[in-house]
């Protein structure tokens, strides 16, 4: 891929992931449990990971994190998302590179680990072990959102197959 | 890319299995609580009995507050100064180990049982 093309494509993907983050932050799911989100911003990350590679996915993910925290979040949300995003992206890159797992499974593992990371930060920051009680529900909802994101990622990749 | 392998099912299945197992274990270990503990910035600030109805404004920093309501043995946050209002939307709590967290205000309310620490109810 030519350098100019690559820069342009990365910019588009970062913009896309930002918009998806914004939609994520707008949609509040009525479960009465903190931290449950759709996680559709991950579609852009998975797309980058599959289409371009691990390095590019890290670029998109970290810029998305910084920009979305500045635009729609607070310092606190940054700390929470940071750990979740690092863990989830690291696992997705490893799974993508070293296993033949389906994209769906990779997406599910990413979503679950993202929630796990956030809970860990919350336990440390608030010094309250009991926050771990939310884990089972967050793993469950993470699996469901991971399935949705997985399907959308596969479809997106399928319909943009011919675009180099 | 959509084709599934056996390993995929095993992995996703075990994730869900662990979640359901943990959920059941937590549910079974929870008892009716006796006190509401208010934590701010990692320290316990106050403790209220669950069996007395109460409405109190928890404010540890200027212009940041959460209004704690205890009613019919259940605790909830009625109102808060934080922008996301996640604590207000959380369901009311009454069993040991349940928490309501307000991350922006660094405030946690949690339910404990008769035992003084109330921390090791699971383990």
């Amino acid at each position: 891929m030519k350098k100019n093309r690559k820069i342009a494509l990365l910019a588009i993907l970062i913009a896309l992931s930002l918009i998806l983050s914004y939609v994520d932050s707008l949609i509040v799911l009525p479960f009465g449990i903190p931290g449950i989100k759709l996680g559709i911003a991950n579609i852009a990350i998975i797309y980058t990971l599959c289409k371009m590679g691990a390095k590019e996915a890290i670029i998109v993910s970290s810029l998305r994190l910084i920009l979305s925290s500045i635009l729609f979040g607070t310092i606190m949300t940054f700390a929470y998302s940071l750990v979740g995003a690092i863990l989830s992206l690291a696992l997705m890159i490893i799974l993508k590179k070293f296993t033949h797992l389906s994209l769906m499974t990779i997406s599910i593992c990413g979503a679950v680990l993202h929630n796990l990371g956030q809970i860990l930060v919350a336990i440390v920051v608030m010094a309250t072990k009991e926050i771990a009680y939310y884990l089972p529900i967050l793993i469950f909802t993470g699996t469901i959102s991971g399935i949705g994101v997985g399907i959308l990622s596969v479809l997106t990749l399928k319909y943009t197959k011919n675009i180099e | 890319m959509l084709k599934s392998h056996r390993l995929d099912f095993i992995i996703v299945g075990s994730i869900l299995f662990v979640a359901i197992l943990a959920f059941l274990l937590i549910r079974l270990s929870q008892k009716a609580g006796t006190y509401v503990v208010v934590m701010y910035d990692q320290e316990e600030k106050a403790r209220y009995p669950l069996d007395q109805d109460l409405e109190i404004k928890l404010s540890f920093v200027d212009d940041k507050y959460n209004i704690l309501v205890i009613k019919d043995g259940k605790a909830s946050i009625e109102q808060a100064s934080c922008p996301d209002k996640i604590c207000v939307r959380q369901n009311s709590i009454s069993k040991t180990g349940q928490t309501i967290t307000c991350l922006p205000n660094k405030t946690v309310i949690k339910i404990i049982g008769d035992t003084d620490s109330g921390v090791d109810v699971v383990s």
Side-chain angles (χ1 to χ4, degrees), chain A residues 28-54:
Chain A
V28 177
L29 299 170
F31 292 120
I33 288 163
I36 296 184
K37 274 188 188 166
L38 288 181
I40 49 174
N42 208 21
I43 298 171
I45 311 293
I46 291 177
Y47 185 87
T48 316
L49 182 61
C50 294
K51 264 299 215 216
M52 300 176 79

Side-chain angles (χ1 to χ4, degrees), chain B residues 8-51:
Chain B
D8 291 295
F9 281 109
I10 294 171
I11 289 177
V12 177
S14 40
I15 290 174
L16 284 176
F17 178 73
V18 169
I20 292 167
L21 196 70
F23 182 77
L24 290 176
L25 280 176
I26 287 172
R27 264 294 147 88
L28 289 174
S29 72
Q30 283 179 328
K31 290 171 295 202
T34 34
Y35 291 102
V36 182
V37 173
V38 178
M39 309 257 296
Y40 171 73
D41 206 7
Q42 316 194 345
E43 275 173 42
E44 181 177 335
K45 292 288 180 189
R47 186 177 283 211
Y48 306 102
L50 257 180
D51 50 11

Side-chain angles (χ1 to χ4, degrees), chain A residues 28-35 50 74 76-77 80 95 99-106 108-109 112 122 124-137 139-140 143 147 151 154-155 157, chain B residues 1-5 7-9 11-12 15-16 18-20 22-23 26 29-30 39 41-42 83 86 89-91 96-104 106-108 110-112 118-122:
Chain A
V28 177
L29 299 170
F31 292 120
I33 288 163
C50 294
T74 61
M76 288 305 283
T77 53
Y80 285 90
L95 291 180
T99 68
H100 295 289
L101 290 173
S102 72
L103 209 53
M104 186 82 93
T105 310
I106 294 176
I108 291 170
C109 292
V112 168
V124 172
V125 170
M126 313 293 272
T128 307
K129 278 192 252 174
E130 285 86 346
I131 294 175
Y133 281 44
Y134 291 124
L135 258 184
I137 297 163
I139 292 174
F140 191 73
T143 309
I147 291 172
I151 292 173
V154 169
L155 288 177
L157 284 163
Chain B
M1 236 177 284
L2 254 179
K3 65 169 183 271
S4 309
H5 303 268
L7 195 58
D8 291 295
F9 281 109
I11 289 177
V12 177
I15 290 174
L16 284 176
V18 169
I20 292 167
F23 182 77
I26 287 172
S29 72
Q30 283 179 328
M39 309 257 296
D41 206 7
Q42 316 194 345
I86 286 172
R89 270 195 301 269
Q90 266 180 260
N91 301 329
T96 52
Q98 289 185 315
T99 52
I100 294 181
T101 51
C102 180
L103 302 176
K106 290 195 241 167
T107 305
V108 181
K110 65 178 181 189
I111 305 288
I112 61 164
V119 181
D120 288 323
V121 274
V122 169

Side-chain angles (χ1 to χ4, degrees), chain B residues 81-92:
Chain B
S81 59
C82 54
D84 53 11
K85 299 276 185 282
I86 286 172
C87 53
V88 180
R89 270 195 301 269
Q90 266 180 260
N91 301 329
S92 54

